[in-house]
Amino acid sequence: MRQREVRAAVDRLGAWVAGLRWADVPAGPRERLGLVLLDVLGVTALGAREPEQRRLVEAWTPGPGPAPLVGAGCTTMVEAAAWLNATALVRLELDEGHKRAKGHPAAHAFPAVLALAAERDASGPDTLAALLAAYEVGARFGRATRLRPGTHPHGNWGVTGAAAGCARLLGLDAGATAGAIDAGSGMPIAGHFASALDGNRVRDAWMGSANVSGLAAARMAAAGLARSTGTAAGSLGELLGELDPAELDADPGSRWEVEGGYVKRHASCSFTHAAVDAALELRGRLDGEVEEVLVETHSLAAGLDRRTWTGPLAAMFSVPFTVATALRRGRMDPAALSAEALADPATAALAARVTVRAAPDLDARLPAERPARVTVRSVAGTVTAEAPNPVGDADHHPFTTQTLPTLLADLLGGSEPVDAIQAVCAALPGLPAVGDALRGLAGLKEDRSCVSTP
């Protein structure tokens, strides 16, 4: 029974994606998609600068092709671009997400859709429709899926979004698009959350795999090799967790998931953000040496309580590190993840005095809120601050077309790359072919270029 329900929902989603036209999309989701795209491209360009990412590109030796490596100075083949851009996008934990989907719909799909759009020289409206379809399908699968405890959300339910967006770019009909989504739902990664806590960069690879798997699913459907059978009922609904079919095709075209996401201002797991925001609020009220910090939060974040870290990724998933960094430095930005900052003995000493625990009153506010309450005791007294959601959430001080460019310019060290991305985003709706504009994004770089095979 459940497999039939899933199949019927996927069939309806396939029909909606195949019929989606950018001209029919209301102004609200159009504007929000533009904001998400600006953020995705800016964060990808920032991630491309990281030494780890540069070494990955060099080890990959990507051959020449039509798709850009954003911010890396070259173009390459579609699958290589999809994988490498996806890993750059999540490299610094700054990628956009969706709290009700419990993960990152855009990061699962946008690198694949943009790489394929560049290869096909798709029109701007078709590219935007494909990006929107990818987000909407991926977010619905995220909402519908309840992963088993300990499962990381990278690389599983989000493959469906990449498959849907790529199917839309390939111009597949309703049945073939449903087949692509179904095939994507059958290619999930079963990654353990402990990998992120341990600082294991395989976590980034799960996102690269999701994008490439979505491309593969769409190509399978284009070849007539994929069909809708309700595969997600077994893969996501049994092996990896539970699946609610009613959420899969809930009100497409009237409830726009893209409007409910969050943009991140801290280079760390989103579960740490409310605590970091509260710590930053308290920073100006502290007087004297900090003796103890208590972070009360929801159960999703309570497990991020490690007081030691093996590298940048592990630090980004540590509430003690991120809160201690916020209190000491006043920012939780990429500079806080440098080798020098990670080895700072004062930060380590303060993190050792941070206690993290779940609070029932805060847990009860899930999923509408992801709150945190931070209490700092110093020699001068005790102060407390609470945040209902991270700054940047759609429900709490969201970033806008006016404020997001300022944030990205601060992260990227200037407005020039942000201006270039904004120009591409603004031009897309009117472009008959997007290839050259997208390939220009490879030039959002410092004085370097990636290795490519002759």
Side-chain angles (χ1 to χ4, degrees):
M1 174 67 73
R2 185 56 57 92
Q3 184 175 348
R4 289 199 296 271
E5 292 175 358
V6 171
R7 175 182 176 179
V10 169
D11 287 347
R12 290 189 292 270
L13 266 183
W16 178 77
V17 170
L20 180 63
R21 298 293 179 269
W22 183 247
D24 300 330
V25 177
R30 280 191 184 207
E31 181 175 338
R32 182 67 186 189
L33 181 72
L35 191 80
V36 172
L37 182 58
L38 170 62
D39 186 67
V40 164
L41 293 173
V43 171
T44 303
L46 184 65
R49 297 178 178 182
E50 288 297 296
E52 289 180 326
Q53 187 66 23
R54 296 187 195 188
R55 293 198 301 271
L56 179 61
V57 172
E58 290 171 0
W60 199 286
T61 59
L69 285 187
V70 176
C74 67
T75 60
T76 187
M77 302 301 291
V78 172
E79 278 75 12
W83 185 290
L84 293 169
N85 284 332
T87 55
L89 173 55
V90 302
R91 178 70 58 194
L92 289 166
E93 267 296 302
L94 281 163
D95 47 307
E96 186 268 0
H98 194 292
K99 67 186 176 189
R100 293 186 183 274
K102 306 172 290 293
H104 306 266
H108 276 96
F110 281 26
V113 171
L114 292 170
L116 186 61
E119 178 195 50
R120 295 181 62 80
D121 220 6
S123 74
D126 279 345
T127 300
L128 292 165
L131 291 168
L132 184 58
Y135 197 103
E136 296 299 309
V137 170
R140 281 171 170 75
F141 268 86
R143 289 180 68 127
T145 303
R146 182 178 180 182
L147 294 170
R148 294 187 186 278
T151 308
H152 196 286
H154 274 18
N156 35 66
W157 52 258
V159 180
T160 59
C166 291
R168 175 64 181 78
L169 273 182
L170 293 175
L172 304 187
D173 63 20
T177 300
I181 296 170
D182 188 273
S185 74
M187 292 190 272
I189 293 287
H192 201 285
F193 211 99
S195 294
L197 302 179
D198 293 340
N200 191 325
R201 285 296 184 179
V202 70
R203 187 218 63 139
D204 301 344
W206 298 336
M207 201 60 89
S209 179
N211 278 270
V212 173
S213 291
L215 276 162
R219 295 192 197 279
M220 287 175 63
L225 301 177
R227 60 193 182 96
S228 176
T229 64
T231 298
S235 58
L236 299 174
E238 292 181 15
L239 293 177
L240 293 186
E242 300 174 2
L243 187 71
D244 179 6
E247 282 285 359
L248 293 179
D249 65 332
D251 305 316
S254 57
R255 187 187 81 192
W256 297 96
E257 296 293 346
V258 73
E259 294 185 299
Y262 57 78
V263 170
K264 300 168 82 171
R265 66 170 179 160
H266 307 308
S268 59
C269 173
S270 66
F271 292 164
T272 73
H273 281 216
V276 171
D277 290 337
L280 290 173
E281 181 183 337
L282 291 175
R283 189 170 185 264
R285 296 161 54 189
L286 296 177
D287 185 15
E289 182 180 358
V290 173
E291 297 179 335
E292 183 182 21
V293 180
L294 172 63
V295 177
E296 297 172 282
T297 186
H298 51 85
S299 57
L300 296 174
L304 277 61
D305 59 352
R306 297 189 184 184
R307 293 171 170 170
T308 59
W309 43 90
T310 57
L313 183 60
M316 288 186 275
F317 277 80
S318 164
V319 170
F321 173 82
T322 55
V323 168
T325 296
L327 290 173
R328 287 204 66 246
R329 297 173 176 269
R331 297 185 63 155
M332 185 54 231
D333 60 1
L337 302 169
S338 68
E340 179 183 6
L342 293 174
D344 178 24
T347 300
L350 181 53
R353 299 194 291 273
V354 177
T355 299
V356 184
R357 71 184 185 201
D361 64 315
L362 301 183
D363 217 33
R365 290 154 64 178
L366 293 171
E369 296 183 10
R370 286 185 174 178
R373 184 166 51 241
V374 177
T375 301
V376 179
R377 181 170 60 85
S378 70
V379 294
T382 300
V383 290
T384 299
E386 184 174 311
N389 272 305
V391 170
D393 188 273
D395 299 324
H396 186 63
H397 302 296
F399 286 98
T400 67
T401 52
Q402 286 73 45
T403 58
L404 179 59
T406 301
L407 171 67
L408 292 175
D410 182 49
L411 290 168
L412 288 163
S415 62
E416 185 176 351
V418 182
D419 292 342
I421 296 170
Q422 284 186 291
V424 172
C425 292
L428 281 181
L431 289 179
V434 302
D436 287 342
L438 293 181
R439 283 186 284 275
L441 296 170
L444 301 171
K445 65 183 184 70
E446 297 167 307
D447 56 347
R448 70 185 197 286
S449 61
C450 67
V451 176
S452 61
T453 304

